[in-house]
Amino acid sequence: MTPLDFTWIVGLAVVMLAAAAESARRYGDWFAPLTVFVGVNAGSLALYHLRLLGLNPVSPATHALVLGSFLAFLAGTRLAAGRGSLAAMRERIVPVETSGLDPFFLLTGLLSTVGWVVALAILAATHGLGVIISNVWMLQNTFQMQFIGYLNLLGILVAPLYAIRRASGRTGPLDLLLLASSVLGLLLAGIKSYMFYAALSALLAWSACRPGSVRLRHVMGGMGLLIAFFVAYTAKVDVFVADAYEGAGGLGELTFLQRPYLYIVGSWPALESVLHGLADPPPRLGFVVLQPLWKILGEGLGLIEPIPPAL
């Protein structure tokens, strides 16, 4: 780590603190979308500057783009909030009635459960349950069968819906059972980011219902659990991915932390490649947004031509 890296770490820490202070001033709660957006990205970039692995350098232009995104997000939050402070307006805001979400929560939880149960039943009939248990790595490539298998991804919505119901005092044993089922479905999906999205959205929902209730220790504890999950996932599921990287600062020996670190900071060297035209050409305009609809109409219902392999 060079003096310039240390300067970036300190500067990004100041930016994170400023975002939290702005959220507390404007919303009456430090844990707001502005803090989350700036905190996740600035924290990740600060960790990159620890130089714990030999990654490609990130240019000043990429840093400028990241800082510009922070300013753009800040401008968006201010436009959405208007001139007044939302914290001062809370007494004039009519409490939002959330009981209408109850049927949606039950339906989402049931569909999520159906998704992973059907997918697991198909895999067990094909390979045998014992084979799956002894070869957990199979889940990453085989569990997410199209259409039926994707239903378990609705579990990402179950966690924030449960947080809203819990904050409103309307939870029961069935709610907890559906939450546990949805989390199990996300684990079986074999994609680490799904658990992150579910946990983060649940924290945001709880914070919106109970302003000021999310403490720093809660966030740090959640991050610790996610890192532990990443380590376990690396050991049991990502078994065919190389685990030896050029390490520094202790990560050369602590190989079980290399993959979580790479997962957290690897997007910045990747962004550098995209900005300088070193990555593969991007797909045609609108492909990313319309791809889910195209897959359902083409590969699912057969109403249009399937997505060409070249895309």
Side-chain angles (χ1 to χ4, degrees):
M1 183 173 64
T2 65
L4 181 59
D5 289 317
F6 179 77
T7 302
W8 271 114
I9 292 173
V10 173
L12 290 168
V14 171
V15 170
M16 287 189 284
L17 291 174
E22 170 68 9
S23 296
R25 183 186 68 83
R26 184 164 290 272
Y27 304 109
D29 188 359
W30 73 275
F31 192 78
L34 175 63
T35 305
V36 173
F37 178 81
V38 174
V40 169
N41 289 284
S44 170
L45 190 54
L47 287 175
Y48 162 82
H49 279 286
L50 290 176
R51 308 286 187 181
L52 298 181
L53 291 178
L55 302 175
N56 294 332
V58 178
S59 67
T62 302
H63 284 79
L65 180 65
V66 175
L67 295 177
S69 72
F70 295 163
L71 293 176
F73 199 94
L74 173 62
T77 58
R78 290 197 169 186
L79 286 173
R83 293 185 176 182
S85 168
L86 291 185
M89 295 168 58
R90 285 192 185 277
E91 295 183 358
R92 301 197 302 270
I93 296 177
V94 178
V96 177
E97 177 56 52
T98 61
S99 59
L101 292 174
D102 294 352
F104 182 66
F105 169 78
L106 295 174
L107 179 61
T108 304
L110 289 174
L111 287 176
S112 170
T113 301
V114 169
W116 73 258
V117 168
V118 170
L120 186 60
I122 293 174
L123 282 180
T126 305
H127 303 283
L129 188 58
V131 173
I132 297 174
I133 294 175
S134 59
N135 299 276
V136 183
W137 52 266
M138 293 175 58
L139 297 176
Q140 188 175 39
N141 294 323
T142 60
F143 192 81
Q144 288 305 102
M145 291 170 282
Q146 288 190 359
F147 312 119
I148 291 295
Y150 285 138
L151 285 177
N152 66 308
L153 300 188
L154 291 173
I156 297 175
L157 300 176
V158 173
L161 289 171
Y162 177 85
I164 293 172
R165 286 171 58 82
R166 182 65 183 269
S168 303
R170 299 196 310 274
T171 56
L174 178 61
D175 300 81
L176 189 59
L177 181 62
L178 290 175
L179 175 65
S181 173
S182 69
V183 170
L184 178 59
L186 294 177
L187 291 174
L188 292 176
I191 305 297
K192 298 183 288 293
S193 58
Y194 296 160
M195 290 298 301
F196 174 78
Y197 298 148
L200 179 60
S201 57
L203 276 176
L204 283 171
W206 180 267
S207 177
C209 295
R210 299 279 185 90
S213 60
V214 177
R215 306 298 188 198
L216 182 60
R217 65 176 183 272
H218 299 145
V219 177
M220 299 303 294
M223 292 176 58
L225 290 175
L226 283 174
I227 292 176
F229 167 65
F230 285 6
V231 171
Y233 179 95
T234 298
K236 297 298 183 181
V237 180
D238 273 349
V239 295
F240 294 114
V241 181
D243 222 5
Y245 303 93
E246 181 183 348
L251 283 192
E253 292 74 27
L254 301 176
T255 56
F256 66 95
L257 290 178
Q258 289 183 354
R259 293 282 299 287
Y261 178 78
L262 181 63
Y263 187 85
I264 293 171
V265 308
S267 57
W268 304 118
L271 178 61
E272 178 75 14
S273 298
V274 172
L275 289 179
H276 290 82
L278 303 177
D280 294 334
R284 67 179 61 177
L285 184 65
F287 172 74
V288 174
V289 175
L290 298 176
Q291 183 190 28
L293 180 61
W294 193 350
K295 292 184 69 174
I296 293 174
L297 295 178
E299 300 174 23
L301 301 178
L303 299 178
I304 59 176
E305 291 295 323
I307 298 177
L311 294 180

